[in-house]
């Protein structure tokens, strides 16, 4: 009986450690999601740094302001705009705003299922040990009957 309990508890512990809510499987999934988020944070930080530099340049640098205005089609008073066919226009760069990261749900075996599987292992091992015990008792009875029959013939 104690061996069956031990097998059931061992099965429960192994299932919880490897596939439970705080198990190795869930930990690996969370670690992978952490890596994805870290990479995305780095990308967004680079975008933020570039935007900050452009913002500072547009606040302070007259050359940058003039260049950006010309790209948008503005000209100074008195200037004449000459467009030449066949030459591509400088387009205003569109900033990449990053992308949303959608994380998937973490897969794991719930605590209730872990307990049920441990209980099932206990019941299966108990029934196997009971069947083995019954079989060995039957064998002993058969041996005992056979030896008593042979002893009567002597």
């Amino acid at each position: 009986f104690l061996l069956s309990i031990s097998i059931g508890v061992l099965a429960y512990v192994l299932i919880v450690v490897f596939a439970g809510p705080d198990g190795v499987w869930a930990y690996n999934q969370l670690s992978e999601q952490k890596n994805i988020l870290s990479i995305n944070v780095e990308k967004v930080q680079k975008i933020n740094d570039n935007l900050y530099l452009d913002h500072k340049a547009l606040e302070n640098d007259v050359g940058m302001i003039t260049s950006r205005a010309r790209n948008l089609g503005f000209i100074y008073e008195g200037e004449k705009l000459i467009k030449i066919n066949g030459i591509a226009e400088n387009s205003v760069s569109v900033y990449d705003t990053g992308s949303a990261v959608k994380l998937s749900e973490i897969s794991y075996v719930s605590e209730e299922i872990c307990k049920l599987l441990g209980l099932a292992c206990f019941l299966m091992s108990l029934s196997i040990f009971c069947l083995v015990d019954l079989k060995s008792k039957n064998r002993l009875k058969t041996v005992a009957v056979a030896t008593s029959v042979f002893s009567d013939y002597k």
Side-chain angles (χ1 to χ4, degrees), residues 54-124:
D54 282 353
H55 177 257
K56 285 297 178 190
L58 286 171
E59 281 183 338
N60 302 322
D61 188 5
V62 176
M64 179 74 161
I65 296 169
T66 304
S67 171
R68 204 46 82 84
R70 287 182 189 273
N71 283 340
L72 291 173
F74 292 100
I75 56 173
Y76 283 113
E77 243 180 79
E79 281 187 327
K80 294 183 180 180
L81 182 63
I82 299 174
K83 289 190 176 187
I84 302 173
N85 289 334
I87 297 177
E89 290 185 36
N90 290 340
S91 63
V92 176
S93 62
V94 178
Y95 292 104
D96 180 19
T97 58
S99 59
V101 175
K102 180 159 175 58
L103 300 176
S104 60
E105 288 288 321
I106 302 299
S107 302
Y108 60 87
V109 178
S110 70
E111 187 70 26
E112 293 82 19
I113 293 176
C114 292
K115 289 177 183 176
L116 286 174
L117 290 172
L119 181 65
C121 287
F122 161 70
L123 292 174
M124 283 182 8

Side-chain angles (χ1 to χ4, degrees), residues 1-69:
F1 182 73
L2 288 176
L3 185 59
S4 296
I5 291 175
S6 299
I7 289 173
V9 169
L10 178 66
Y12 167 73
V13 168
L14 288 175
I15 293 168
V16 167
V17 166
F18 289 104
D22 297 324
V24 174
W25 185 30
Y27 175 79
N28 288 338
Q29 293 175 56
L30 288 171
S31 180
E32 184 178 320
Q33 286 187 358
K34 177 188 168 214
N35 290 340
I36 291 169
L37 288 174
S38 296
I39 290 169
N40 192 49
V41 166
E42 288 174 8
K43 287 179 184 176
V44 170
Q45 185 61 45
K46 285 181 184 177
I47 293 168
N48 187 36
D49 293 343
N50 289 339
L51 287 173
Y52 179 77
L53 290 175
D54 282 353
H55 177 257
K56 285 297 178 190
L58 286 171
E59 281 183 338
N60 302 322
D61 188 5
V62 176
M64 179 74 161
I65 296 169
T66 304
S67 171
R68 204 46 82 84

Side-chain angles (χ1 to χ4, degrees), residues 123-142:
L123 292 174
M124 283 182 8
S125 64
L126 182 64
S127 61
I128 289 170
F129 288 137
C130 286
L131 289 173
V132 168
D133 189 42
L134 285 174
K135 189 175 179 182
S136 65
K137 284 183 182 178
N138 255 350
R139 187 177 296 147
L140 287 177
K141 284 183 185 178
T142 307

